[in-house]
Amino acid sequence: LPIPAYRALRSPEYLYAEYRYPDGREERELYDLARDPFELDNIAATADAALLAALSAKLDALGSCQAASCREVENSPL
């Protein structure tokens, strides 16, 4: 099986991951850590679209930040 490229972030509330497979297929995972601390129930398919967009935007910002600006991104609310 091909191993996908991925990027992820963990906040006190969520674990969010995006996967991209070599064939172009993409998947997301989202776990509500307060309700599901063992990360058993992927809620990405039913999550609020605005939350998914905010998490994806934060990943984008973390991927392009430099030096002190990364701390600002890390500490910014969703």
Side-chain angles (χ1 to χ4, degrees), residues 1 5-6 14 18 20 28 33 35-36 46 50 52 54-55 60 64 67 70 74:
L1 294 174
Y6 74 94
Y14 300 106
E18 296 178 344
R20 178 169 293 161
R28 295 181 185 189
L33 298 176
R35 292 188 174 130
D36 182 18
T46 59
L52 292 172
L55 290 164
D60 288 341
S64 62
C70 291
E74 287 177 346

Side-chain angles (χ1 to χ4, degrees), residues 15 29-33 35-46:
L15 170 67
E29 290 184 7
L30 176 63
Y31 300 95
D32 181 331
L33 298 176
R35 292 188 174 130
D36 182 18
F38 298 108
E39 302 164 17
L40 300 174
D41 185 26
N42 179 7
I43 60 171
T46 59

Side-chain angles (χ1 to χ4, degrees), residues 10-12 58 62 68-78:
R10 179 183 293 271
S11 73
K58 192 163 195 168
L62 286 168
S69 69
C70 291
R71 293 284 179 225
E72 293 174 19
V73 173
E74 287 177 346
N75 295 326
S76 67
L78 292 177

